[in-house]
């Protein structure tokens, strides 16, 4: 199994840390993983993206031009990455701030009201975990216990008290995933 | 099995240095390699192993601190990115001339000049053909994964001490910034002066004792005959390196009509391109030089006898391609040699490389 994912949105949305937790979860279940960030003169409010690859085999290129899954969290990223999803792949997006929703019919499209759900949970910072939960519902590539271990590994110990809240956000995301288009 | 972690390439350089018993790091921050010293400072290895970590006032100062400490037989290193390595070039030439071991890490960024902070491989010539003045060579290792960033710290020091010659890890911002699963090495104790002497002979300036003559560290020989003698000694080492230290890896070359030659992050991209090309029915393979000096001339020459063409894929304007041409020319082969690359911090995608294989290699 190889899963090639792009996660793209605004800087500050937790795009890179969502990727990191996913990557750590892969390590926890003995997979090969690569986490490749867009780094550079980007800043809060600018765009940020990260490629995460998880595989049972040695991983070749960390730089990709097409993906199994795109998780898209703003319009600029939709414009850039909708076309890069492989036919039959998955596109998950948060409709908040999306003016032009995806139009492709040859891919599986899901949406998650991540911004709203995180606000309802009382902590907008859990947004990325809500989206992660939704993704894992659409594509259960890692086990929940690996995610839990991944959180423990990637969060500094002083933040471990926040793990239950994060797990709650993941649950909420799994519960509230909406299907927009399914390829039969 | 060693400890498994998810780490950035730059962070791993620091961790591996502590674990392999490095005595000292002297550096100056520059993107995209600043995490090396950041990680070292956060780890505070001076408490754990006694390793010194020092932020110097400049790259020029760092490399000269490396020169001085290396002269005492210590296992010392520095790291920087392209413009910083240019500043160090004079010191590197002195260290090579004085025949001292050390490790230099170049996490390349786009140039020339101050350039960009995005990844590049445009320092191939600088690393393998000189950089500083005089007839000298560095042992140049090109990691293609975070795991190799870890492994090559120990290997780099090993080779540096074996040949008493500076070794370089030539990597780039992509591998420096990316995180992968890595198996860390076990802790090795720092070497004592006695261990250095029993392993590599008496050359370090550790204080003269009554039973031996002075050990002198210098790259200055005013008498030409002495200077030539020193040059001959260096050249003999480089010949020995070419005979004993060539490292490379091949991927699907057995039945290949066309072979890509790429190092570091370009090689990772090319591995995917080979898979994509094979899916299209094109018989393409990949040769990845792991040591850039000594360069794997012979394996390329061997392949040149049976393949139709080579394409060097590099994140520069075509530098390593010259070494591929030399190797193919030496084999008196008629295989074509071409180049594809991107510059200025742009990373080619696997798809772009496949297009180049079709247009620049096969159709040509």
């Amino acid at each position: 199994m190889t899963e090639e994912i792009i996660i793209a949105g605004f800087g500050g949305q937790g795009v890179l840390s969502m990727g990191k937790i996913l990557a750590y979860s892969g390590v926890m279940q003995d997979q090969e993983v690569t986490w490749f960030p867009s780094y550079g003169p980007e800043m809060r409010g600018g765009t940020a993206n990260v490629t995460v690859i998880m595989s049972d085999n040695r991983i070749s290129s960390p730089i990709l031009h097409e993906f199994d899954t795109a998780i898209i969290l703003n319009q600029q990223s939709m414009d850039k990455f909708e076309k890069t999803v492989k036919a039959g792949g998955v596109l998950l997006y948060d409709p908040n701030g999306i003016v032009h929703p995806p139009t492709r019919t040859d891919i599986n499209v899901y949406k998650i009201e991540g911004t709203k759900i995180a606000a309802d949970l009382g902590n907008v910072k859990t947004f990325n975990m809500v989206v992660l939960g939704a993704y894992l519902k659409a594509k259960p590539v890692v086990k929940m216990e690996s995610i839990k271990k991944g959180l423990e590994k990637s969060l500094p110990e002083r933040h471990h008290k926040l793990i239950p809240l994060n797990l709650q956000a993941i649950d909420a995301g799994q519960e509230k995933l909406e299907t927009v288009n399914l390829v039969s | 099995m060693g400890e498994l972690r998810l780490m950035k390439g730059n962070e791993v350089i620091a961790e591996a240095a502590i674990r392999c018993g490095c005595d000292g790091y002297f550096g100056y921050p520059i993107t995209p390699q600043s995490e090396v010293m950041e990680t070292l400072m956060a780890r505070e290895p001076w408490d754990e192993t006694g390793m010194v970590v020092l932020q110097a006032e400049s790259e020029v100062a760092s490399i000269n601190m490396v020169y001085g400490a290396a002269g005492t037989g210590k296992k010392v290193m520095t790291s920087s990115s392209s413009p910083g390595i240019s500043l160090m070039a004079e010191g590197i030439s002195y260290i090579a001339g004085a025949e001292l071991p050390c490790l230099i890490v170049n996490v390349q960024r786009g140039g020339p000049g101050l350039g960009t902070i995005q990844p590049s491989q445009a320092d191939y010539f600088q690393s393998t053909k000189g950089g500083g003045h005089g007839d000298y060579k560095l042992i140049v290792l090109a990691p293609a994964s975070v795991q190799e960033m870890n492994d090559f710290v120990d290997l780099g020091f090993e080779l540096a001490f074996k040949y008493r010659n500076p070794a370089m890890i030539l990597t780039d911002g992509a591998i420096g910034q990316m995180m992968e699963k890595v198996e860390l090495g076990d802790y090795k104790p720092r070497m004592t002066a006695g261990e250095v002497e029993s392993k590599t002979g008496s050359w370090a300036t550790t204080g003269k004792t009554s039973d031996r003559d002075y050990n002198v560290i210098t790259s200055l020989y005013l008498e030409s005959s002495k200077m030539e003698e020193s040059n001959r000694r260096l050249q003999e080492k480089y010949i020995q390196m070419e005979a004993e230290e060539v490292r490379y890896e091949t991927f699907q070359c057995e039945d290949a009509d066309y072979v890509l030659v790429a190092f570091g992050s370009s090689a990772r991209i090319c591995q995917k391109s080979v898979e994509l090309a094979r899916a299209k029915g094109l018989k393409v393979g990949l040769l990845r030089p792991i040591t850039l000096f000594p360069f794997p001339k012979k394996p390329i020459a061997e392949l040149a006898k049976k393949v139709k063409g080579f394409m060097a894929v590099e994140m520069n304007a075509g530098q390593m391609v010259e070494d591929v041409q030399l190797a193919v020319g030496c084999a008196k082969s008629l295989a074509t040699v071409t180049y594809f690359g991107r510059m200025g911090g742009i990373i080619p995608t696997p798809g772009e490389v496949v297009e180049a294989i079709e247009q620049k290699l096969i159709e040509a």
Side-chain angles (χ1 to χ4, degrees):
Chain A
M1 196 280 300
T2 297
E3 169 78 348
E4 299 172 332
I5 314 156
I6 179 92
I7 311 172
F10 287 120
Q13 273 180 322
V15 164
L16 298 184
S17 57
M18 190 198 320
K20 192 171 162 185
I21 290 161
L22 202 52
Y24 243 124
S25 311
V27 174
M28 291 303 130
Q29 50 187 47
D30 216 20
Q31 285 181 302
E32 298 300 321
V33 298
T34 290
W35 175 96
F36 184 74
S38 62
Y39 78 91
E42 279 122 354
M43 60 187 88
R44 203 173 187 87
T47 59
N49 68 67
V50 62
T51 302
V52 177
I53 308 170
M54 307 163 73
S55 180
D56 297 327
N57 304 311
R58 179 171 146 174
I59 293 167
S60 57
S61 180
I63 291 104
L64 300 168
H65 59 286
E66 52 181 15
F67 301 90
D68 299 312
T69 298
I71 300 175
I72 293 178
L73 304 172
N74 67 10
Q75 186 61 50
Q76 289 98 313
S77 303
M78 186 68 83
D79 298 342
K80 195 168 168 191
F81 294 112
E82 181 187 356
K83 56 180 177 286
T84 65
V85 180
K86 291 179 198 168
V90 166
L91 188 158
L92 168 68
Y93 73 104
D94 182 342
N96 181 41
I98 298 286
V99 192
H100 306 292
T103 53
R104 281 178 62 179
T105 52
D106 63 333
I107 56 175
N108 299 298
V109 179
Y110 301 93
K111 68 178 177 181
I112 181 74
E113 294 274 1
T115 318
K116 195 171 159 294
I117 296 165
D120 291 347
L121 282 171
N123 189 337
V124 290
K125 283 187 183 165
T126 59
F127 165 76
N128 61 347
M129 292 299 100
V130 174
V131 176
L132 178 61
Y135 163 65
L136 293 174
K137 178 75 179 179
K139 221 164 173 181
V141 289
V142 285
K143 299 188 210 96
M144 267 315 280
E145 58 181 82
S146 306
I147 288 281
K148 192 157 176 281
K149 281 193 212 158
L151 275 167
E152 280 166 10
K153 275 277 191 182
S154 57
L155 287 175
E157 211 145 299
R158 63 181 191 280
H159 289 151
H160 276 192
K161 59 180 187 294
L162 295 172
I163 289 176
L165 178 65
N166 279 291
L167 292 173
Q168 199 190 334
I170 291 171
D171 283 344
Q174 294 201 308
E175 218 168 278
K176 295 188 172 140
L177 175 74
E178 298 170 56
T179 304
V180 179
N181 181 59
L182 281 185
V183 184
S184 49
Chain B
M1 189 152 177
E3 189 185 338
L4 285 182
R5 293 253 200 102
L6 180 72
M7 289 179 95
K8 279 190 177 187
N10 287 337
E11 296 167 345
V12 158
I13 293 281
E15 187 64 37
I18 298 168
R19 287 177 182 240
C20 81
C22 179
D23 292 303
Y25 171 96
F26 309 91
Y28 189 78
I30 180 170
T31 306
Q33 69 76 53
S34 295
E35 292 88 353
V36 178
M37 190 160 45
E38 273 171 23
T39 307
L40 283 169
M41 288 293 186
R43 284 281 269 105
E44 301 182 352
W46 47 89
D47 283 338
E48 195 181 343
T49 70
M51 176 183 175
V52 171
V53 184
L54 194 148
Q55 177 172 337
E57 67 269 35
S58 70
E59 287 87 350
V60 176
S62 326
I63 195 69
N64 282 291
M65 289 176 182
V66 167
Y67 184 17
T72 68
K74 295 291 180 192
K75 206 168 171 180
V76 289
M77 66 181 290
T78 185
S79 66
S80 189
S81 179
S82 309
I85 297 288
S86 293
L87 282 167
M88 292 183 185
E90 180 199 43
I92 295 172
S93 168
Y94 276 55
I95 296 171
E99 293 189 75
L100 295 178
C102 71
L103 180 65
I104 302 152
V105 181
N106 181 0
V107 186
Q108 295 167 95
R109 57 190 248 178
L114 214 42
T116 170
I117 60 173
Q118 302 297 330
S120 164
Q121 296 181 319
D123 303 347
Y124 178 88
F125 280 153
Q126 186 194 45
S127 317
T128 60
K129 314 285 178 197
H133 57 282
D135 274 319
Y136 77 90
K137 297 275 188 195
L138 304 176
I139 299 159
V140 185
L141 300 167
S145 64
V146 174
Q147 184 66 53
E148 285 188 342
M149 291 285 260
N150 176 76
D151 302 349
F152 289 0
V153 171
D154 197 27
L155 176 64
F157 274 124
E158 190 87 8
L159 295 172
F161 273 84
K162 179 175 174 187
Y163 292 95
R164 264 210 276 147
N165 197 74
M168 175 177 272
I169 292 180
L170 185 69
T171 180
D172 64 57
I175 294 176
Q177 293 296 325
M178 124 182 141
M179 287 201 286
E180 289 189 311
K181 182 169 85 175
V182 57
E183 184 185 347
L184 298 171
D186 294 332
Y187 282 87
K188 283 206 247 177
R190 289 165 50 219
M191 281 192 290
T192 63
E195 282 164 349
V196 173
E197 186 172 333
S198 65
K199 233 180 135 177
T200 63
S202 172
W203 52 270
T205 48
T206 51
K208 187 191 172 309
T209 48
S210 54
D211 57 346
R212 67 160 166 84
D213 210 350
Y214 291 104
N215 284 337
V216 179
I217 306 284
T218 185
S219 64
L220 174 72
Y221 299 93
L222 287 175
E223 263 180 70
S224 297
S225 60
K226 290 261 166 61
M227 186 74 249
E228 192 180 42
E229 200 183 299
S230 160
N231 267 286
R232 284 197 197 285
R233 204 167 51 239
L234 294 181
Q235 294 305 317
E236 275 164 24
K237 285 202 299 197
Y238 306 148
I239 290 166
Q240 191 190 343
M241 288 173 197
E242 294 207 272
E244 293 178 19
E245 307 302 344
V246 172
R247 287 166 170 80
Y248 66 99
E249 181 184 53
T250 56
F251 179 66
Q252 307 220 0
C253 281
E254 297 75 20
D255 63 339
D257 291 329
Y258 299 96
V259 170
L260 305 177
V261 185
F263 67 94
S265 42
S266 294
R268 292 285 293 272
I269 295 159
C270 286
Q271 199 186 321
K272 184 92 182 176
S273 307
V274 168
E275 288 165 11
L276 296 171
R278 291 261 168 185
K280 286 181 144 188
L282 307 172
K283 284 189 177 174
V284 179
L286 166 68
L287 185 140
R288 173 172 82 94
I290 294 172
T291 48
L292 301 181
F293 181 82
F295 190 72
K297 291 178 201 164
K298 275 187 195 153
I300 292 175
E302 282 302 313
L303 280 171
K305 290 176 193 160
K306 53 178 198 176
V307 306
K308 294 177 187 158
F310 293 89
M311 185 166 79
V313 180
E314 310 174 63
M315 277 147 45
N316 58 40
Q319 299 189 11
M320 183 186 62
V321 65
E322 293 187 6
D323 285 330
V324 178
Q325 280 165 334
L326 269 176
V328 173
C330 290
K332 298 195 174 68
S333 157
L334 294 176
T336 55
V337 179
T338 181
Y339 143 88
F340 172 74
R342 297 294 301 264
M343 293 166 280
I346 305 273
I347 310 175
T349 66
E352 264 182 281
V353 176
V354 174
E355 268 174 44
I357 292 170
E358 289 172 320
Q359 290 164 11
K360 297 186 76 167
L361 194 55
I362 298 178
E363 283 170 27

